[in-house]
Amino acid sequence: MNTQRPDSARRAGRRTFLTQSAAWGVLLAAGVAADRTSGEVSPISAPPDSTKVLGRPVRPYGSRSRFETASRGQVPSPTREASASLTPLQHLYGIITPSELHFERHHAGVPEIDPARHRLLIHGRVRRPLVLTLAEIQRLPSVSRVHMIECSGNTSTEWARPTMPDVEGTHGMTSCSEWTGVLLATILRDLGVERGAKWVVAEGADGAALTRSLPIAKCLDDVILAYGQNGEALRPEQGYPLRLMVPGWEGSTHVKWLRRLKLVAEPYQTREETSKYTDLMPDGTARQFTFVMEAKSVITYPSAGLRLPGPGVYEITGLAWSGRGYVRRVEISTDGGGTWRDAPLQEPIHRIAHTRFRLPWTWSGRECTLQSRCTDDRGYVQPSIADLARIRGVHSLNHLNAIQSWKVTAQGVVLNVRA
Amino acid sequence: MNTQRPDSARRAGRRTFLTQSAAWGVLLAAGVAADRTSGEVSPISAPPDSTKVLGRPVRPYGSRSRFETASRGQVPSPTREASASLTPLQHLYGIITPSELHFERHHAGVPEIDPARHRLLIHGRVRRPLVLTLAEIQRLPSVSRVHMIECSGNTSTEWARPTMPDVEGTHGMTSCSEWTGVLLATILRDLGVERGAKWVVAEGADGAALTRSLPIAKCLDDVILAYGQNGEALRPEQGYPLRLMVPGWEGSTHVKWLRRLKLVAEPYQTREETSKYTDLMPDGTARQFTFVMEAKSVITYPSAGLRLPGPGVYEITGLAWSGRGYVRRVEISTDGGGTWRDAPLQEPIHRIAHTRFRLPWTWSGRECTLQSRCTDDRGYVQPSIADLARIRGVHSLNHLNAIQSWKVTAQGVVLNVRA
């Protein structure tokens, strides 16, 4: 992935007026005298003085500046339809992922669906089976909640050794949005769940007809039939016009392009819960239905592929989340885990959502290793890769939530390492 | 503005399975037997069965479905550069405004600015004047906060009589985003504010060089030098690459394309604070510097221009906000102000931000008038238009925050009325 994008200039490649000190106050002053440099000029041209020309008219629907080029890198795969693309976390601010940059994962491409013709069938062990139109679903009482979605395969390249060159590659399969829809419980309770209904099989309308089985208890708790994302309709890649939002559970359970929910007695043991989305354990067995994404965090700046322009004060920042609830604490180590400092969290903290942490840090110019460690409101602490591998082995693919280490070399180059 | 957009089909124009009752539970059941209808089919085609075809590949940067067409209507104006466009609130979910649909207001068009060449000059009564690059600003400690911005001219057509045909027209000059940037106080405190500095003059780099004077106290409180909007860089219409975010104050103070801050003793009495952005009072004087946007709310569904398909249960929903702090309460009347019921608020509630309210409502099929009334955490209650006009007269343009009335006719047509 190209880390020399114009918009990464804000992070790297320029000397700075901030010199080495923990007191920000002194630094701006020092900077004035010491270190003014000219900026890099982009190959794209803009008027030399924007006050001397008439600007662009109002528009019905906006788009970003031509100077902004952050994009989703594609995960290497035999086809571009059964593939994935990654959120460039190193370029994002705050906790909302722009919908254009929400990670993608699909098994037979993004289907095109006419919302007026789309239907959701709810059947099986339910007293009154039903076919719903989108308009009917949108007339029911709604909720909007900020939640993250993480693919269970996020970070899966990192089990045996540090592999990917940047945080987009190691952690880019998690994104966070404001989702709007109807609680599935609202509908299921009304239709009447029969006594024998223990699981709900959810099926997508894509070419893979992706199918996952979910325990009924979760479906009667906080699962959302979502049709809205960040204020507007779902984006096609995120399941337009209807998807499941299954707070805190692995991404593949949030079935997109949702067309069918069947209440059944047992899980269907579909491909996505037998050969795929299982965890190979050290004893050779495969663990199924590892639904919850455990507490995890990663530093997005400084992160691998970026370069610190020189010694001085920086703001270390990153994201933390837990599929079980609220992030309560993020600690940062700048000495490879020897000592830890609490990083303030961006408020309000949302349940099962990206939580932004930030901590000022003075880089001495010597080699060092940065890590973040998250604790959720159950008291669960994000493990080291060694502790995780002790239980899981290293032949698993999914559910790697270990502490990530970034080494800063004396030259300011940031690398993906094992601390 | 066209209210027959495909994406408004979700709200209007289709008979529904929900019949008249306050108990949602009974309704889904009744619907199955009574009222299944076929959906409207869009003129755009999509594969008849999306599971039988390969979908679209992953993409570096996403876009919305071709079936989604919500857009910003342009405010009538002599030119399209000195103009405004409106957020289609009737089509939005939750509290985040998609950046593509954030309202626009500019006086000489949207300038195109190369972020690498952009500079911010801070001078005047400051101990150490400074020119900052964007990279330098982005290296300082940052914050992300969800805030609304409302143009003081929002709803200005409604002083004398109900005028606009829909909520986009009456209230579309307010939008809400997650903004990221540096607290202006961080920089000003460091540079050293001189004793005589009582105001800060902020100047934009657009063709109008829009200029507003702000009291120093606000600038040392919660004003943000913002470079991020909803996770990515500011959109061009919202001030790319740098703007002021002045929480709760009228939109024109949030100077976009910010290039200069001058600390001075007195306000500059610019065009935007003398002939424009003042309030004509009944005695013929003009009130200046009415900075704060007072508590306000509006029902976005049902709202004028939409049509209820028939009697039955609906979810009344809308947005409330206060430039002074948190929304504490929203009440809804369905009888033109005779009686009021509290509407639950979407949590978490953000300070100085759109706050979504929702309340189930059974429409009997008889003519009625819907209103919402907001109370903020200072105890300020959104006034009636009569109470507001008693003090302000009706020859003002800006700062109309009165209760909005929508009449539902016996035919289900929703109209903008004076209750």
Side-chain angles (χ1 to χ4, degrees), chain B residues 201-383:
Chain B
V201 178
E203 181 188 73
D206 60 326
L210 185 133
T211 307
R212 289 292 317 249
S213 312
L214 299 171
I216 188 77
K218 180 73 172 175
C219 296
L220 292 174
D221 180 15
D222 58 359
V223 172
I224 302 169
L225 273 180
Y227 48 79
Q229 176 184 2
N230 293 339
E232 58 185 349
L234 293 179
R235 288 301 175 90
E237 301 94 306
Q238 271 69 63
Y240 182 84
L242 190 69
R243 78 175 302 166
L244 285 185
M245 198 315 130
V246 188
W249 286 23
E250 57 184 6
S252 61
T253 62
H254 302 232
V255 176
K256 293 180 284 196
W257 316 294
L258 184 73
R259 70 168 183 176
R260 191 156 73 99
L261 293 170
K262 186 172 186 181
L263 281 67
V264 297
E266 300 287 343
Y268 260 29
Q269 306 289 354
T270 71
R271 181 188 64 182
E272 320 301 344
E273 44 209 37
T274 51
S275 80
K276 307 295 181 190
Y277 300 112
T278 59
D279 309 320
L280 183 57
M281 301 298 281
D283 66 0
T285 62
R287 190 172 69 173
Q288 283 185 287
F289 304 117
T290 313
F291 289 125
V292 178
M293 303 307 296
E294 299 287 359
K296 189 167 174 178
S297 70
V298 68
I299 293 170
T300 56
Y301 181 81
S303 60
L306 303 178
R307 192 175 177 284
L308 301 187
V313 175
Y314 293 87
E315 183 178 70
I316 294 176
T317 186
L319 297 168
W321 59 94
S322 167
R324 294 199 188 272
Y326 293 89
V327 170
R328 280 296 181 234
R329 182 183 195 187
V330 175
E331 299 158 283
I332 287 176
S333 174
T334 57
D335 58 5
T339 58
W340 296 88
R341 273 181 69 195
D342 277 16
L345 306 179
Q346 177 182 319
E347 296 192 330
I349 299 169
H350 296 260
R351 176 178 167 268
I352 308 181
H354 283 178
T355 303
R356 173 70 63 176
F357 59 86
R358 299 173 166 100
L359 187 70
W361 166 60
T362 304
W363 181 46
S364 66
R366 284 190 294 274
E367 183 175 298
C368 62
T369 299
L370 309 180
Q371 299 176 320
S372 66
R373 180 171 70 186
C374 151
T375 303
D376 70 15
D377 61 350
R378 311 286 178 109
Y380 175 95
V381 181
Q382 184 181 8

